[in-house]
Amino acid sequence: MPATTTAPSAGTTAGKTSRKRGRRLRLFVLVLVLALVAGVAYGAYWGVSTVRASFPQTTGTLKVPGLTGQVEVKRDDYGVPQIYADSDADLFMAQGYVQAQDRFYEMDVRRHMTSGRLSEMFGSGQVDTDAFLRTLGWRKVAQQEYDTKLSPATKKYLQAYSAGVNAYLKGKDGKDISVEYAALNLTNDYKPEAWSPVDSVAWLKAMAWDLRGNMQDEIDRSLMTSRLSPQQIKDLYPAYPTATHRPIVDEGSYSKASGKFDPNRAASASDGTSNTAQGALQGMQSQLGALSDTLDKIPSLLGPNGSGIGSNSWVVSGQYTTTGMPLLANDPHLAPMMPSLWYQMGLHCRTVSSKCTYDVAGYTFSGMPGVVIGHNQDVSWGFTNLGADVTDLYLEKISGSNYLYDNQEKPLATREEVIKVAGGASKTITIRETNNGPLVSDRDDELGKVGQKAPVNSAAPDRGTGYAVALKWTALEPGKSMDAVFELNRASDFKSFRAAAKDFEVPSQNLIYADTKGNIGYQAPGRIPMRADGVDGTMPAPGWDPKYTWKKNYVPFEALPYEYNPKRGFIVTANQAVIDEKKYPYLLTKDWGYGTRSQRINDLIESKIKGGGKISTEDMQKMQMDNSSEIAALLTPALLKIDVSDPSVREAQKLLEGWDYTQENDSAAAAYFNSVWRNVLKLAFGNKLPKELRPKGECLYVTPPAGTGPVDDPDKKVWECGERDGDSAQPDGGDRWFEVVRKIFNDQNNSWWKAPATRLDKATTTRDQLLARAMKDARWELTAKLGKDTTTWSWGRLHQLMLKNQTLGKEGPGVLQYMLNRGPWNLGGGEAAVDATGWNAASGDYGVTWVPSMRMVVNLKDFDKSKWINLTGASGHAYSAHYSDQTEKWAKGELLDWSFTGKAVAGSTVDTLKLTP
């Protein structure tokens, strides 16, 4: 039977004030909505009831069949819920119910994505995406995990969570759940279905996909071979700068007993491909480009992979803090979306016992029980992406229903799946797999021709109609990461924290730690493959050669780096190298982030300590908002020395005089510098890359490689346009490009500084000539974008954040986009700054592509003095008072108070909802 209600109880004065404010806001926007949509002919009339129908009840009493005792849901002035129960099952059932109240549409879209069923909601335009996701098999693997890997306790929690979601859904039509369903029902008869435990498990596959490591770099390096020499490609992927950018672990440990340490091992891993593989790679650029285009179409829930998803976390020991106990900060950098990926929540057992074991709060994922990042009564933890290389692309020789491996024909594993399409006929696809994984090339006509024209040497199998492409990925094997979530939530010391980390197999993350006894620590977990000596996973490998097959065992957990109470008194992780590869026996990746953010955080902490100061919560907050530009500090002195004759360009150049390299949103200097930087990259590198890496719409005359163009005369050029989505085009301007430029910057005559003449510009042959040309181009670019008067320029006018609903807010009618989206906000920060509001320099658009998706600072002395903020708000309902009520404060770098103890939560509560059996 549907849940029933009783009259709401009287609230506090603060609660009444908050609700009055919320009612006034809703009244205003409802009138606006009516004015906007009343005349729109979608076949139905949207009224006040349509918009309000889905708003959740947050006060009074609701009967929820399946509970064994009463549960209280206490919400603060921002709608953030704290749940109190007397058993684990009731706690997680209530979590499912409450998350469904606020975010079910988001949950539903996410589970349709992870199972390759978007076409059921949105029609035929999603069939290709569904086919690719079915090929990867996220849902299939999640089912295997649930059936064979997860502990009985975890399964019970997942079942309880699902029961809570379904208790909320029972008896509700789509319009009763969210306004998006009301819109969908105008075009198809989609009805939400019941939630299942596997829907929750599958979310971890989407998370792992977006954090999969260097797959895009592997494709890009391969594509570069059509234009660039091996040395040039090496120039664009320089070694990690260990001497200037400290790795995470320099005092820590790992078990050497599990592997014989060869200090030359890292050096022996060169380009990762044999002559056979190199031969197969030649001529497959357009096919790999097609794969890259396919990847761009996959919904990216966490962020654009081309820029490299980043995050910051650090922890400072009590010996250097004002509280005398550790402070821990974390801000994951993910795609901006509406609502935010994160959902803040507290899960509290009224009395912690064997029956009810949780007292934890932090950031959760809607659709998944437990807390992902946060703290319990004893410890706190944070995540950043480790970036381990856990994917490899393999070229496969296919003959009919077989593939070649070790000179033998092996049968392809196949399965058929049916994709249902809203408003159209279903489509049946066949998925084929080799020992290296699913054939992703089957999902694209161009990919089906991989290697068709590739010249290969005699050691490679005859190409016939071409080579297929398979994907090997650790997340396609069942694991126990969901167990790890609950183990982290219950951890009480570093030993139990490491035990939980051991089960966090995918995605591989940097885990930082602090506890109420004053200890700090770090652990690198994850299922990381071991490859043969000389193989580094940086280029597609020949699937027919056993040498390139992953070894049976992964890097042992005991051999993964960790630190515990290092002498320096702090630990910083920001996607930099985990450890100096010359001191470590295993290959984790060749494609680290380059440590710009991490080194800046290290420097800020050390400067405070060496100055004799103590670090406070406010200091941690200020560090999170640090927006200084490392590349500006390198380039600006040289830019100021260039003799500029054009008075308009000189006017712009003067903006850089006295600039301190910070990127505030009102800074004209930051606007001009970032435009100069973009044009430096374009002239020096971007115009020399193949079309598959350059952004769509960017066209230029190029000399085609011999045998690939309409003419083979190197003196004749062809008009060629870029093909890459702007968010993943190159050069993206991240800190890999900082390092590329730094290494050649003092070489005035380096060949990268050469740029051909155009109708308006002379050819450049030196660094300063190219810088001068970039300064001129930037001046006229910003004149077009911001106006001729440089006094009106500001970085924030270029660098804007738009928050978009990830479905109808992107593809729906304009009126729906107006209703569901929010913004813009003019932001400071920038690419590779600690305040990492990322943008892609290749795209020509300075808009924000990824952001600190939340920020938190945990005070281990007094949890109630911790601080947090979300990118948007608790609610996924477009006209809720809590849809975007945290965004303005987030944009200003402010943090909210974070109540944890019962007394503090009671003091901040404005709405109380009682759930009863």
Side-chain angles (χ1 to χ4, degrees), residues 314-316 321 323 325-329 615-617 620 857-859:
W314 66 94
V315 60
V316 182
T321 68
T323 67
M325 292 293 284
L327 294 173
L328 184 149
I615 294 173
S616 66
T617 299
M620 301 282 273
V857 179
V858 180
N859 184 327

Side-chain angles (χ1 to χ4, degrees), residues 234 239 261-273 532-536 538 580-590:
K234 187 176 180 180
F261 179 37
D262 177 5
N264 297 315
R265 188 200 183 299
S268 70
S270 53
D271 65 358
T273 53
D533 288 348
V535 179
D536 65 9
T538 60
D580 187 341
E581 66 177 20
K582 295 178 182 178
K583 301 177 181 178
Y584 187 66
Y586 297 101
L587 176 68
L588 299 180
T589 186
K590 284 287 185 179

Side-chain angles (χ1 to χ4, degrees), residues 453-501:
K453 298 180 180 180
V456 295
N457 60 29
S458 59
D462 182 79
R463 66 174 176 256
T465 57
Y467 300 116
V469 179
L471 171 64
K472 185 79 169 177
W473 180 32
T474 57
L476 297 184
E477 297 181 25
K480 299 169 65 178
S481 293
M482 187 61 75
D483 281 348
V485 172
F486 298 107
E487 292 164 1
L488 281 173
N489 286 196
R490 294 191 306 267
S492 59
D493 54 23
F494 194 61
K495 181 180 179 181
S496 54
F497 170 80
R498 292 192 72 209

Side-chain angles (χ1 to χ4, degrees), residues 624-675:
Q624 288 179 327
M625 295 304 295
D626 183 88
N627 57 32
S628 65
S629 170
E630 179 183 274
I631 194 63
L634 176 67
L635 264 63
T636 301
L639 295 174
L640 288 171
K641 291 179 181 178
I642 293 175
D643 185 16
V644 175
S645 57
D646 186 318
S648 294
V649 180
R650 172 59 185 147
E651 182 183 25
Q653 183 188 38
K654 290 177 68 175
L655 295 173
L656 302 178
E657 294 177 356
W659 181 44
D660 61 358
Y661 317 131
T662 59
Q663 300 171 94
E664 301 294 341
N665 64 2
D666 61 354
S667 171
Y672 182 56
F673 173 79
N674 281 311
S675 181

